[in-house]
Amino acid sequence: METQLVRLDKPYNIICSPDIKFGLHIATLIVVNEKPVKDAETGDVVDTYPVAKSYPVVGVEYGIDGEVWMKSEQKDCMVICREGESVGLYTLKKLMELSSKSHHFIDFVLIVPGALSMALLAYGSKFELPTDDSKHIINDYEVRLEFSEENNGQSCMVYASKESDFYFYDYFDNEPPFVKKIHTNSESIKYLADLRDSYVRAFHYEGLHSITFTTKDKKYQWFVDDLNGTKADAARV
């Protein structure tokens, strides 16, 4: 095994691992291993070839420098921005998609907006909402939900449309549940409401006031009405 450390220059990138750890990417550790090539008939090793993997070395919170993320290859990490720069809704949505795909516990996604907000603050960066034609921050948003049924209508995916600014996704069963390990429709409404509140709570001071849901699917208008009928706890946001 051979290793090489490649040091990077400031300003460093803020990166995020698939398990939602944030850090400043200060260097890259390249690890090269020799992989054996075996004869198909005898199983004997007849040759080797090098396989290189790159791991980020980060300066993380609380002033701890030089941690190697050996569980997260560099190619699997997301670059958020350079330290001191600003990010917006596009980056947030991409991060939410990353966390949803890489984590088995869907409720884990609820912590991501707050984790991003804290990381940006720690590294001198900002989250900025878009402005209207008058240069005023847009405070209120609409997210159109789409529904896709499975299992002869017993199960359903609900997700934000591609043009929506925020990421929302869940998979639910009608009550009683067809599959016990996923949300019922009432649990799904609560989960999406909690995710909405998580966005508002994380970026309230940046100007995010509300997210309202719509749909073109008349069959699930009741779902959207119930979701919009949930009220955020003012003390929490």
Side-chain angles (χ1 to χ4, degrees), residues 171-186:
Y171 186 80
F172 67 89
D173 275 339
N174 291 318
E175 299 180 77
F178 178 66
V179 180
K180 293 183 179 180
K181 293 183 178 181
I182 67 174
H183 288 155
T184 62
N185 51 37
S186 60

Side-chain angles (χ1 to χ4, degrees), residues 73-103:
E73 287 188 63
Q74 187 169 316
K75 64 181 178 63
D76 298 323
C77 295
M78 176 178 171
V79 176
I80 303 300
C81 65
R82 289 187 180 275
E83 53 182 331
E85 291 182 346
S86 298
V87 300
L89 292 176
Y90 176 82
T91 300
L92 173 61
K93 190 173 182 178
K94 290 298 182 183
L95 178 61
M96 297 297 290
E97 291 171 350
L98 170 69
S99 64
S100 178
K101 292 176 181 178
S102 62
H103 208 279

Side-chain angles (χ1 to χ4, degrees), residues 37-46:
V37 178
K38 295 183 179 180
D39 184 274
E41 295 183 359
T42 66
D44 296 334
V45 176
V46 295

Side-chain angles (χ1 to χ4, degrees), residues 62-160:
Y62 314 115
I64 303 174
D65 289 332
E67 177 184 347
V68 183
W69 285 354
M70 293 300 294
K71 294 182 179 180
S72 302
E73 287 188 63
Q74 187 169 316
K75 64 181 178 63
D76 298 323
C77 295
M78 176 178 171
V79 176
I80 303 300
C81 65
R82 289 187 180 275
E83 53 182 331
E85 291 182 346
S86 298
V87 300
L89 292 176
Y90 176 82
T91 300
L92 173 61
K93 190 173 182 178
K94 290 298 182 183
L95 178 61
M96 297 297 290
E97 291 171 350
L98 170 69
S99 64
S100 178
K101 292 176 181 178
S102 62
H103 208 279
H104 297 298
F105 301 100
I106 190 169
D107 290 353
F108 177 83
V109 177
L110 295 173
I111 72 170
V112 176
L116 174 63
S117 177
M118 294 179 63
L120 293 175
L121 180 64
Y123 301 126
S125 295
K126 295 181 180 180
F127 183 84
E128 293 184 347
L129 291 167
T131 57
D132 58 22
D133 293 338
S134 300
K135 303 302 181 183
H136 296 140
I137 292 175
I138 300 174
N139 308 117
D140 305 298
Y141 293 82
E142 284 190 353
V143 170
R144 179 164 61 85
L145 295 180
E146 298 182 354
F147 298 84
S148 179
E149 291 184 343
E150 297 181 353
N151 301 318
N152 296 318
Q154 291 181 287
S155 304
C156 188
M157 288 187 294
V158 53
Y159 48 91

Side-chain angles (χ1 to χ4, degrees), residues 5-46:
L5 184 66
V6 180
R7 298 186 182 276
L8 304 176
D9 297 325
K10 291 186 175 184
Y12 300 123
N13 284 334
I14 302 172
I15 61 172
C16 182
S17 67
D19 57 347
I20 315 302
K21 290 175 60 178
F22 293 89
L24 291 180
H25 186 194
I26 62 175
T28 297
L29 178 65
I30 301 174
V31 179
V32 181
N33 286 296
E34 294 293 328
K35 188 171 183 177
V37 178
K38 295 183 179 180
D39 184 274
E41 295 183 359
T42 66
D44 296 334
V45 176
V46 295

